[in-house]
């Protein structure tokens, strides 16, 4: 399924918990996608394939964030059915091109070729259908997270085959010398500049938020891919709210 069809913006949480039931809950709640996290937390490529199954069964788009620019990991994430692969710590245009090369089959890239995988219905799908359509139905999302990437943003934005430029505010804050201060003027200024440079090129921008107010702020500025918090954080906030109200 396409993530952005007829939608002004999309919103979804990061998923760190290994139980795919929370992916189903996210779908029932009305989120558009989930980012299944392999960079931080306990998950493995084996555990997250059930997250992908749960997402697709309930009509929500599965995105897998891999730990790094790793051709084998990107290929595995797509092989198990991820519809988008999200790659952290992109610093240069060459980094971005490496992501495209790993995620796309020829002629757009050089993704490892195997049809005996879930994404090809375990070889039951005709080869022509799988290899002919894979590049059209799988997307790439790259993280811009520090001053090196910020300084190279003009060149990164020129790379073909990238579907979303994702700004990571927490890593950006560290690079700006104010770790954790995601609302610091230095951080906000750099993030806004990236959004402004991407807009005339027709590039979709995403970012991470932790409140509805922050989400609305970035949506109003043109950000279309809103990563809203993390499953464990959402659960904590809900639990704390209940406890405070009961004890209050």
């Amino acid at each position: 399924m396409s993530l952005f069809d007829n939608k002004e913006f999309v919103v979804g949480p990061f998923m760190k918990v290994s139980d795919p039931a929370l992916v189903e809950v996210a779908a029932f709640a009305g989120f558009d996608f989930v980012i299944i996290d392999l960079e931080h937390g306990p998950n493995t490529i084996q555990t997250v394939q059930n997250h992908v199954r749960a997402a697709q069964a309930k009509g929500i788009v599965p995105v897998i964030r891999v730990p790094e620019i790793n051709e084998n990991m990107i290929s595995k994430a797509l092989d198990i059915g991820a519809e988008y692969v999200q790659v952290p710590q992109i610093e240069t245009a060459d980094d971005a091109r490496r992501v495209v090369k790993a995620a796309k089959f020829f002629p757009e890239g050089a993704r490892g070729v195997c049809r005996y995988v879930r994404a090809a219905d375990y070889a039951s799908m005709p080869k022509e259908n799988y290899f002919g359509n894979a590049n059209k139905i799988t997307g790439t999302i790259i993280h811009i997270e520090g001053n090196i990437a910020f300084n190279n943003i003009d060149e990164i934005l020129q790379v073909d085959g990238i579907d979303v430029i994702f700004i990571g505010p927490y890593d950006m804050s560290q690079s700006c010398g104010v770790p954790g201060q995601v609302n610091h003027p230095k951080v906000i200024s750099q993030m806004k500049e990236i959004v402004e440079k991407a807009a005339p090129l027709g590039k979709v921008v995403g970012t991470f938020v932790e409140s509805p107010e922050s989400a609305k702020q970035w949506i109003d500025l043109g950000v279309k891919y809103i990563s809203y918090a993390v499953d464990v954080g959402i659960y904590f906030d809900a639990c704390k709210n209940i406890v405070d109200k009961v004890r209050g």
Side-chain angles (χ1 to χ4, degrees), residues 69-77 79 102:
I69 309 173
N70 181 299
E71 289 78 2
N72 181 256
M73 185 61 73
I74 290 170
S75 180
K76 283 184 175 181
D79 284 348

Side-chain angles (χ1 to χ4, degrees), residues 108-127:
E108 296 171 49
R111 176 181 164 189
V113 176
C114 180
R115 69 187 185 98
Y116 298 93
V117 293
R118 183 176 178 276
D121 295 343
Y122 304 107
S124 68
M125 184 186 298
K127 289 182 286 188

Side-chain angles (χ1 to χ4, degrees), residues 15 26 28 72 74-75 78 86 90 120 140 148 154 164 196 200 205:
M15 311 300 293
F28 288 132
N72 181 256
I74 290 170
S75 180
L78 295 172
Q86 189 158 325
I90 301 302
T140 56
I148 297 175
D154 292 325
V164 179
E196 290 166 0
V205 176

Side-chain angles (χ1 to χ4, degrees), residues 11-237:
V11 58
F14 274 97
M15 311 300 293
K16 298 190 187 300
V17 175
S18 297
D19 191 335
L22 288 187
V23 174
E24 295 180 299
V25 171
F28 288 132
F31 283 119
D32 299 291
F33 63 91
V34 288
I35 306 171
I36 305 159
D37 199 1
L38 287 175
E39 182 183 16
H40 298 293
N43 277 309
T44 67
I45 199 72
Q46 186 170 12
T47 63
V48 301
Q49 63 182 341
N50 284 330
H51 290 61
V52 175
R53 290 185 177 109
Q56 292 172 329
K58 300 304 179 185
I60 189 171
V61 174
V63 180
I64 292 182
R65 177 168 73 172
V66 296
E68 59 187 350
I69 309 173
N70 181 299
E71 289 78 2
N72 181 256
M73 185 61 73
I74 290 170
S75 180
K76 283 184 175 181
L78 295 172
D79 284 348
I80 64 172
E83 295 176 32
Y84 286 77
V85 63
Q86 189 158 325
V87 185
Q89 300 298 337
I90 301 302
E91 294 187 331
T92 66
D94 282 342
D95 287 345
R97 282 188 281 268
R98 283 180 61 198
V99 172
V100 176
K101 182 179 179 181
K104 303 290 185 178
F105 292 122
F106 180 87
E108 296 171 49
R111 176 181 164 189
V113 176
C114 180
R115 69 187 185 98
Y116 298 93
V117 293
R118 183 176 178 276
D121 295 343
Y122 304 107
S124 68
M125 184 186 298
K127 289 182 286 188
E128 297 78 10
N129 292 0
Y130 177 52
F131 295 115
N133 293 326
N135 284 356
K136 301 174 187 175
I137 63 175
T138 56
T140 56
I141 302 168
I142 59 170
H143 282 224
I144 304 300
E145 302 182 278
N147 284 332
I148 297 175
F150 177 75
N151 292 334
N152 290 321
I153 193 62
D154 292 325
E155 292 80 12
I156 292 171
L157 288 171
Q158 295 298 323
V159 176
D160 291 330
I162 300 297
D163 294 286
V164 179
I165 305 293
F166 183 86
I167 308 169
Y170 272 97
D171 281 299
M172 186 75 78
S173 72
Q174 176 164 263
S175 188
C176 288
V178 288
Q181 298 181 48
V182 295
N183 293 314
H184 192 282
K186 287 182 181 178
V187 179
I188 298 298
S189 176
Q190 286 196 355
M191 292 175 67
K192 284 184 176 178
E193 186 170 338
I194 294 170
V195 174
E196 290 166 0
K197 287 185 173 184
L201 298 174
K203 301 288 187 177
V204 175
V205 176
T207 195
F208 177 83
V209 301
E210 296 171 293
S211 72
E213 295 76 20
S214 181
K216 187 175 188 309
Q217 171 194 353
W218 289 109
I219 290 167
D220 288 346
L221 289 170
V223 174
K224 293 186 64 175
Y225 179 83
I226 299 293
S227 165
Y228 191 99
V230 181
D231 53 6
V232 291
I234 293 169
Y235 180 64
F236 169 78
D237 288 343

